[in-house]
Every structure is written in C-alpha cells, then in structure tokens.
Amino acid sequence: MSSEKGKFKYIFLVVFVLILASVSWVYASFSLLGPKDLGVEYTHEDYVSALEKTGIQVEYEGLTGEALEEYKEQYEDNGEKKSIHDYNFEFSEYERKEFTLTNEEATALLNELAPGFWWFDNLQVKVLPDGTMEGSSTADIKRLKTDLYSDVADDVPLPLPDTLNIYSKGHISVTNNQLSGDPETFNLGAVSLPDKYLEEDSVDTMEEYFPRIYTVVPGLEITSLTSNPEGEFVFDGVIPQKVSVTAK
C-alpha cells in the first residue's frame, strides 16, 4: 500500500510540475519572452531606402542625419522610453506621396523612425502572397494607456501586464484614415483571443480606437494603405516631410 501511495505522490508531483511549467510558459509569453518571429530582418539600408521613399526628415533636439542615428544607438543601449506628453512635436511641409515599401523597409521605418516614443518593440510586419498581413511586436501597454487611451484604460475588463507580446494575421487596409480589418488570428502571448472577440462588434471597436496610433500625427491623410501582388505595402496619402521634436 505504501508503494502505491509513493507512486501516486510521484505522479501527482509530476503533473503539478507540468501544470506549473505550462502556466509559467503562458505567463512568460505575454511579455518576458520575445514576440513571434515573422522572419523579417532589416538593415540600415532598408531604413534609408524607406526614408527616401517617404521623404520624411526628423530633427530631435537639434540632431539630424548621422548625429541623430548615433544618438539613437546610444538610446538603444539604455532603453529609455519617453512620453509624447513631455515633448513638442512640429510637423510641417506636408506633401502627397505614393510609394511602396517592402516588408523589410516597412519594418525598418516603424522600428527606427522614433524608437524612443514608439509603443511597439521588436516589431515585424509582413505581406503574405495572398495579400494577408501579419504583425508581431511587444506592445508597451503601460505607455499606450497613458499616452493614447487614458479615457478608456479603466474600461478594459481584465488586468493587463505593462508589456504584452501580440501577433495578428488577417486582411487589413486603411481608407481615408479609417481602418478596416478581417482578422483571422489575434494572439496575446501564446494565447489566442477567443473567436467571440474577433466577431463584427469587437472588430468595429478595434477599428474605432486603433487609428489613434497613426492619427496622433495632425494632418496625416492616409487615402489608402493596402498591399500589392508583389508582397509590398502600398501607400497613398499626405504626410509631413519634416518632423521637429523638442522637450517641453
């Protein structure tokens, strides 16, 4: 009998450890582990190419060009994040632009244009052959709530960690600054969002609040943002050619 009890205790211990490990893995996947790798790797040349296509020039506290790039490298070493409320942003010289960006160029632009203020780290975006788009990143939930969503932050039904790995896949486009989406998958860490949150009412809510991320730029007009058969992002709209950032 004692042998049976010992065997039962051993089995129970193994099951308990497996459950604990599974829970720890799911929790770690929310923010401690990196986001899903989409296989999109970019170079500095991809960033330079994206800047040339968009025409955007950024000045941060008087720094431009190579001086700004050197500053950004130093920033990446200490990882300091900044709030948009602590700085003045001046956008000027708006122009109508039509261009395409490869997966690498789009990913480079999103990661490198303003890393100190951007709410997503290790972001990758990708157009698949069927036109479906993928996105993967670690979202800075804490700063998103204070910078962009302070009015609705308390309405979130579940507590969220300060950072959260997210992955999405689906058909997405923007027309006249309005986001339209038909999501196939939306993951928070290793956990898939239940299908009920991907139904029309929930998608409509996301389409209402997500544009705050890009309409934070005053006067930005995205006439259309889609993809082409070559697997590129296709943009048509009015964007500022100069951005000047100074501390308040």
Side-chain angles (χ1 to χ4, degrees), residues 187-217:
N187 288 359
L188 305 178
V191 180
S192 295
L193 204 63
D195 289 342
K196 67 178 181 179
Y197 293 111
L198 299 179
E199 294 175 354
E200 185 174 355
D201 289 344
S202 297
V203 172
D204 288 345
T205 299
M206 287 190 285
E207 291 176 353
E208 178 183 353
Y209 288 104
F210 187 83
R212 292 189 186 188
I213 294 173
Y214 51 85
T215 56
V216 71
V217 178

Side-chain angles (χ1 to χ4, degrees), residues 87-159:
Y87 288 79
N88 296 309
F89 291 79
E90 182 180 345
F91 302 91
S92 60
E93 299 186 18
Y94 284 76
E95 288 187 14
R96 178 72 177 269
K97 290 285 184 175
E98 296 181 36
F99 54 81
T100 62
L101 295 175
T102 65
N103 295 328
E104 291 77 16
E105 289 170 338
T107 297
L109 187 66
L110 291 171
N111 281 290
E112 301 295 337
L113 188 62
F117 298 97
W118 191 224
W119 302 281
F120 304 92
D121 290 322
N122 301 314
L123 186 146
Q124 296 180 51
V125 290
K126 186 176 185 178
V127 177
L128 301 178
D130 64 353
T132 301
M133 296 183 185
E134 285 185 301
S136 176
S137 68
T138 299
D140 192 330
I141 300 299
K142 182 177 180 179
R143 290 176 56 247
L144 277 168
K145 288 193 294 186
T146 57
D147 284 359
L148 297 181
Y149 299 103
S150 59
D151 58 324
V152 294
D154 294 335
D155 297 333
V156 178
L158 296 174

Side-chain angles (χ1 to χ4, degrees), residues 15-239:
V15 171
F16 177 76
V17 170
L18 288 174
I19 292 174
L20 184 62
S22 298
V23 172
S24 299
W25 167 260
V26 171
Y27 175 77
S29 73
F30 277 97
S31 58
L32 300 180
L33 302 178
K36 182 175 181 179
D37 184 6
L38 305 184
V40 180
E41 297 182 0
Y42 67 86
T43 64
H44 181 67
E45 287 70 28
D46 291 316
Y47 177 56
V48 172
S49 176
L51 286 181
E52 290 176 349
K53 290 181 177 181
T54 61
I56 299 174
Q57 300 178 38
V58 178
E59 177 182 312
Y60 174 77
E61 296 285 24
L63 299 175
T64 60
E66 291 302 319
L68 178 57
E69 293 306 306
E70 291 177 5
Y71 172 82
K72 284 163 54 179
E73 288 181 6
Q74 296 174 2
Y75 154 77
E76 290 174 358
D77 292 336
N78 61 45
E80 178 188 1
K81 289 288 188 177
K82 308 175 189 300
S83 171
I84 60 174
H85 300 304
D86 296 331
Y87 288 79
N88 296 309
F89 291 79
E90 182 180 345
F91 302 91
S92 60
E93 299 186 18
Y94 284 76
E95 288 187 14
R96 178 72 177 269
K97 290 285 184 175
E98 296 181 36
F99 54 81
T100 62
L101 295 175
T102 65
N103 295 328
E104 291 77 16
E105 289 170 338
T107 297
L109 187 66
L110 291 171
N111 281 290
E112 301 295 337
L113 188 62
F117 298 97
W118 191 224
W119 302 281
F120 304 92
D121 290 322
N122 301 314
L123 186 146
Q124 296 180 51
V125 290
K126 186 176 185 178
V127 177
L128 301 178
D130 64 353
T132 301
M133 296 183 185
E134 285 185 301
S136 176
S137 68
T138 299
D140 192 330
I141 300 299
K142 182 177 180 179
R143 290 176 56 247
L144 277 168
K145 288 193 294 186
T146 57
D147 284 359
L148 297 181
Y149 299 103
S150 59
D151 58 324
V152 294
D154 294 335
D155 297 333
V156 178
L158 296 174
L160 294 175
D162 288 344
T163 59
L164 182 63
N165 291 328
I166 57 176
Y167 165 76
S168 61
K169 178 183 178 182
H171 287 87
I172 301 171
S173 63
V174 179
T175 302
N176 296 327
N177 278 5
Q178 182 58 50
L179 176 74
S180 297
D182 183 14
E184 296 178 15
T185 305
F186 198 103
N187 288 359
L188 305 178
V191 180
S192 295
L193 204 63
D195 289 342
K196 67 178 181 179
Y197 293 111
L198 299 179
E199 294 175 354
E200 185 174 355
D201 289 344
S202 297
V203 172
D204 288 345
T205 299
M206 287 190 285
E207 291 176 353
E208 178 183 353
Y209 288 104
F210 187 83
R212 292 189 186 188
I213 294 173
Y214 51 85
T215 56
V216 71
V217 178
L220 173 70
E221 298 179 13
I222 304 178
T223 304
S224 67
L225 177 61
T226 56
S227 63
N228 62 21
E230 287 71 41
E232 298 172 317
F233 294 90
V234 182
F235 179 91
D236 177 10
V238 177
I239 57 177

